[in-house]
Amino acid sequence: MSQPVTLDVRGPVAVVSIDNPPVNAFAHAVRKGLNDCVAAAMADESVAIVLIRCAGRTFVAGADIAEFGKPRKDPWLPEVLDAIEGAAKPIVTAVHGTALGGGFELVLASHYRCALASARVGLPEVRLGLLPGAGGTQRTPRLAGVEAALELITSGRPIDAGRAKALGLIDEVFEEDLDAAAFAWCERLVADGAKPRRASDLEVAAVADEVFAEARAGLARRARNQLAPQKIVDCVEAATRLPFAEGAEYERERFEECMASSQSAAMRHLFFAEREAAKIGGLPKDTPSRPVRSIGIVGAGTMGGGIAMSAANAGLPVVLLDVDEAGLERGLAVIRGNYAKSVGKGRLSQADADRRLGLIEGTTDYAGLGDVDLVIEAVFEDPELKRRIFGTLDEVARPGAILATNTSYQDVDAIAAATSRPADCLGLHFFSPANVMKLLEVVRGAKTADDVLVTAMQFAKTIRKVPVMAGVCYGFIGNRMFNPYMREAQQLVLEGAGPDEVDAAMYEFGMAMGPIAVADLAGLDIGYKARQALPADRRGDESPFAVADALVVEGRLGQKTGGGFYTYDPESRKGTLEPAVVELIAAKRRELGFEARSIAADEIVERCVFALVNEGLAILDEGIAQRPGDIDIVYLYGYGFPAWRGGPMHYADAVGLEYVLKRVREFHERFGSRAPSALLERLVAEGRGMDSWSAEGN
Ligand code: 3HC
Ligand code: NAI
């Protein structure tokens, strides 16, 4: 097997190359190879300077996440980096692509640092529930100051090379040909008699104590309940108080605490789940795809407009069609307004906004869709209308164009059947607001061709969405699971919990919003109308929705009418519970024979979250979702489930499926909640966890 790290001595410069595809992660062999090569360069008297560079698409992207949680193998990264910083001859790093986590810590530990202008550097460990564990929290404040270090490490957001240079984290930025430029720089450094310069020798510039208190308070809001961000502040503060070696020791202990935490396990699970979710089981890697150079959208409403912006933001030309000029103009005005808001907030330049707007061409004529590679239909949620539009698209779209529906619930196969080309049809279910939300459910119809699916997964990446494949059923993955969750939340209100108590319990659990507040935001009429559209035998027991339905009848549709369960302040949008609604709830309780009882937050959480889990297992069993991790990604990016809990399925595994089953059974017997799914029963009977489940080998 070829060595992942090699040494090539060229005159006074020893070039150490790291080559560990795909992202040059610091696997054990890389740590050992780097250590050995640097030691060999130090021992070689002809060598005056060492240049560390990477082969392939990127500099080191960090520690090898796949090794986390496994027994430690020496040499440990902090030791390798300390040896590099302590080396007697100058060591230079040259960054292309991304230097992330441990990769950027290598850069910080080296003596001279250069980067390609297109490179990005950062310390994203916090997104894995971790903190930089190889000196990053100690060297960054020494080089860039406390405030910049706190921002970089607690946000986890990479910065570009120019910004890194301005902060003092990079010395030289080269426009092109990094290897040659870095080599020439090494020669100049030798000629100038450059000596090793160590970040650890620097003092941290003093800051006021309040800086840390403010950082902690801000993170307590922005990164609610998360351990790692708070510990990062502790470590950066330690850098201001302790000598480097003690600060590094302190950092290592906090790193180990994070690594052992359930939060990091959950977030690492999500890292890999997100990458798995983009893969379609059973399809060979070389399945071809179709080019998507332009798209068409039918329906310039809430969703169509958001989808158009997502595509234009990624540089794709869009033809946006609505039924008439008025509908089209309404849609385009919203898009213009959204871009203007971004410009106003300084998030987008006027030139960029103009460029993006210029990519969106409005029309009311279907002939305008004749040349596009992909059409996404986003008209009203009316199956007959959708079928009619697909019939028209079949006539106008060019052969090979992909036809997608953004339906939330309808049968994608029935819509595809309105065309002569069901193999080219699928669902692309975006989430609102579509220009912001990252999730995209790619709905595979019975006849959808493999290359159409692969193209959809790639298209999602192009427009910076996270795709998850779903099968056809009412509500696909996300909305189907959301139904029993919402049912449980609303039944809890009938049983005696206040809407605010239900929301507070779920918010405390970590959800971005409580379920009742979500219902108000989405519009209480949406669920109401969706249920009314179903044949009576498919509606199930509607009594849990009694309060919501009564509110709809009163015209309280949610935030859009100023009130639903809550009444909203038009300025602050803060919701309060009005006595009239409290009375309406009490009346519905009496009417349906509920005797109000006090319900603990724990029960609220278990009732709601286990309802998600139970339905998620049914979905897996039916093959609607490919993997438990796919469901977790849907809930992370589409429904505000807290990352540090790893998604509902990971959470259920962490709690223990046996316990989940016991509670789901109790809730079924006592409150009429859904019965345990067959897969939940089966996994528990076989003593298996969620992780052991796979679509192929279940
Ligand atoms: N360890 C192990 N595998 C990794 C990895 C890592 N650090 N980073 C990426 N990979 C794998 C991915 O799982 C994926 O594998 P697959 O092809 O089998 O699915 C493959 O590399 C390619 O990754 P992406 O699909 O994400 O490729 P992109 O080009 O879209 O993105 C990237 C590249 C920007 C490097 C992105 O992968 C990334 O952000 N990686 C994680 C970086 C990170 O979090 N680093 C910190 C690690 S923790 C650490 O360093 C601790 C230290 O302080 C001690
Ligand atoms: P909307 O009512 O905001 O927009 C629908 C648009 O379609 C309007 O501009 C209307 O003029 C246009 N339209 C109606 N009939 C048309 C026709 N015959 N030809 C061309 N255009 C026509 O609706 P919204 O919310 O954008 O929903 C669209 C679709 O997206 C629905 O299927 C909905 O279920 C789905 N969806 C909605 C989400 C949401 O949160 N709003 C989330 C995910 C999917």
Side-chain angles (χ1 to χ4, degrees), residues 320-335:
L320 182 61
L321 181 146
D322 210 285
V323 70
D324 53 24
E325 286 297 335
L328 184 61
E329 192 36 51
R330 211 173 35 239
L332 288 171
V334 173
I335 295 175

Side-chain angles (χ1 to χ4, degrees), residues 299 301-303 322-323 378-381 385-386 406 408 429-430 432:
T302 311
M303 296 306 290
D322 210 285
V323 70
V379 301
F380 305 135
E381 186 72 350
L385 176 62
K386 287 181 189 292
N406 181 47
S408 307
H429 182 219
F430 290 79
S432 181

Side-chain angles (χ1 to χ4, degrees), residues 22-23 25 57 61-66 68 77 98 100-102 105 124-125 128 130-134 255 271-272 275 279 461:
V23 296
R57 69 194 222 212
D64 186 342
I65 303 167
F68 288 175
L77 188 59
T98 42
L100 298 177
E105 290 176 295
E125 286 88 343
L128 299 168
L130 296 172
L131 50 88
F255 177 81
F271 176 83
F272 288 113
R275 280 150 187 84
K279 296 172 191 157
K461 244 196 156 173

